Amino acid sequence: MELIHLRILLALKRHGTLSAAAETLHLTQSALSHQIKNLEQRLGVTLWYKQGRSLVLSQAGRYLSEVAESVIATVDSAENHLAQLAKGKTGKLTIGIECHACYEWFRNILQPYLRAWPDLTVEVTSRYRFESFEAIRQYKLDAVLTSDPVENGLLSYQPLFDFELALIVADSHPLAGRGLIVPDDLRGETVLTYPVARDRLDMFRKVLQPAGIEPAAHIQVEETDIMLQLAAAGRGVCLLPEWLLADKSAKLGLNGLRFADLPIGKTMYLACRHEDVGLEYLQWLIHHARTGLAIKQQ
């Protein structure tokens, strides 16, 4: 039994005549009749009989047409869902976030994104923070937000926006208000960072270690808000994306400082598999991530 047989029986049930059923299915009447006769021969039952100018389904035909109602609805739904998947209009997006501060930015775009794609299931996780490449390769993740791309030819890195890292201090800190600072200014300071290995922290690998500086203390903090509150209370200094200050500086009393001759510029990327780049829901995210931050920075 083939789907065309079920579609024919369903069309006959709905329209009642051979000509109407054939027109609906874009078949000739002879082709439609031939399909059903072959099926009747294979099944050993009569599926329809003539009653005047109309065709009437037999008991077997009515039973099979009821089966067809369910099967065809399921198949049509599956075909539509697959078509939507192929166009990138629905499905599931599991997105990983490598950097802690990215959560602060991603919150600003998440609600508009969910409203724009109501049929898309979105999951955001930091579970694979240091194994994101392998997680994408194994289809545990579909995409990842990262500022540290690993160019291996297996992932597509779509640039979203450029940003600078700034040393964040309290307004009452002795360094506050300085136009530019140098790494040596951090001698004797307490450094606040996320709980990440030093070789992955820009504070150490780009600022302190090249200058041969060991901070007076190193405190690891899980949450960005807590880190900023500690900095605002004079409990330490931290190196974070400058755009974080746009919302936090006035409220908490924070100051952002840049290093002289040590620009710490980075780029945020959305990494995904090459074959997924063209998906509409990823393209929307890429486009609005770029324009959204540009608007916010103006």
Side-chain angles (χ1 to χ4, degrees):
M1 191 182 303
E2 299 177 9
L3 282 177
I4 185 60
H5 299 136
L6 299 180
R7 292 191 186 279
I8 289 171
L9 287 171
L10 201 53
L12 284 171
K13 178 182 179 181
R14 290 173 177 173
H15 300 288
T17 66
L18 194 65
S19 58
E23 184 178 353
T24 299
L25 297 172
H26 305 291
L27 293 172
T28 64
Q29 293 183 40
S30 61
L32 188 151
S33 181
H34 181 71
Q35 289 274 9
I36 292 300
K37 283 180 180 178
N38 284 343
L39 180 61
E40 287 178 328
Q41 290 173 359
R42 291 215 309 270
L43 296 176
V45 296
T46 298
L47 297 173
W48 66 27
Y49 57 88
K50 287 186 177 181
Q51 191 177 74
R53 295 184 177 182
S54 301
L55 291 174
V56 178
L57 294 176
S58 66
Q59 182 178 354
R62 288 195 301 273
Y63 166 75
L64 202 53
S65 69
E66 289 175 5
V67 173
E69 290 272 10
S70 175
V71 172
I72 295 303
T74 301
V75 170
D76 286 347
S77 176
E79 288 180 344
N80 180 64
H81 184 73
L82 289 171
Q84 295 297 305
L85 280 174
K87 295 176 182 177
K89 292 185 177 297
T90 190
K92 180 179 180 181
L93 174 64
T94 303
I95 183 166
I97 297 187
E98 275 199 347
C99 62
H100 290 72
C102 293
Y103 274 104
E104 295 291 325
W105 168 79
F106 194 65
R107 286 193 188 103
N108 294 324
I109 200 171
L110 182 56
Q111 281 303 314
Y113 189 60
L114 295 175
R115 287 195 297 270
W117 298 94
D119 298 323
L120 181 68
T121 300
V122 180
E123 180 180 339
V124 183
T125 180
S126 59
R127 187 183 313 154
Y128 307 104
R129 180 169 285 145
F130 303 120
E131 300 172 344
S132 56
F133 164 71
E134 188 64 18
I136 291 180
R137 193 183 68 81
Q138 295 179 5
Y139 289 82
K140 294 176 181 177
L141 288 177
D142 300 305
V144 63
L145 283 169
T146 180
S147 57
D148 296 305
V150 178
E151 298 293 349
N152 50 25
L154 299 178
L155 290 181
S156 173
Y157 287 91
Q158 300 294 310
L160 302 181
F161 55 88
D162 298 326
F163 63 96
E164 290 282 335
L165 295 174
L167 185 75
I168 297 179
V169 302
D171 284 344
S172 58
H173 194 282
L175 293 176
R178 292 265 298 270
L180 294 170
I181 59 172
V182 295
D184 200 59
D185 289 325
L186 300 187
R187 290 187 187 277
E189 292 289 345
T190 294
V191 170
L192 308 170
T193 75
Y194 295 113
V196 178
R198 285 191 175 194
D199 60 359
R200 294 181 62 91
L201 289 167
D202 292 312
M203 172 66 90
F204 284 92
R205 65 180 182 173
K206 292 187 175 183
V207 179
L208 299 177
Q209 289 175 347
I213 297 171
E214 180 64 26
H218 177 201
I219 299 176
Q220 295 184 328
V221 185
E222 287 275 357
E223 297 293 332
T224 303
D225 280 340
I226 300 299
M227 188 183 300
L228 291 173
Q229 288 185 45
L230 288 171
R235 301 296 184 89
V237 300
C238 51
L239 192 69
L240 292 174
E242 197 171 41
W243 46 263
L244 274 175
L245 286 173
D247 295 328
K248 311 289 185 180
S249 59
K251 182 179 179 181
L252 292 176
L254 295 169
N255 207 275
L257 308 174
R258 289 193 176 188
F259 290 91
D261 302 319
L262 187 63
I264 312 178
K266 306 195 77 172
T267 301
M268 188 62 66
Y269 296 91
L270 183 76
C272 61
R273 292 178 288 273
H274 287 287
E275 64 267 27
D276 292 341
V277 174
L279 292 172
E280 286 190 30
Y281 56 75
L282 280 182
Q283 283 296 312
W284 192 100
L285 180 59
I286 291 166
H287 173 73
H288 284 75
R290 291 169 177 168
T291 58
L293 192 79
I295 292 170
K296 186 176 179 181
Q297 288 178 330
Q298 288 177 358

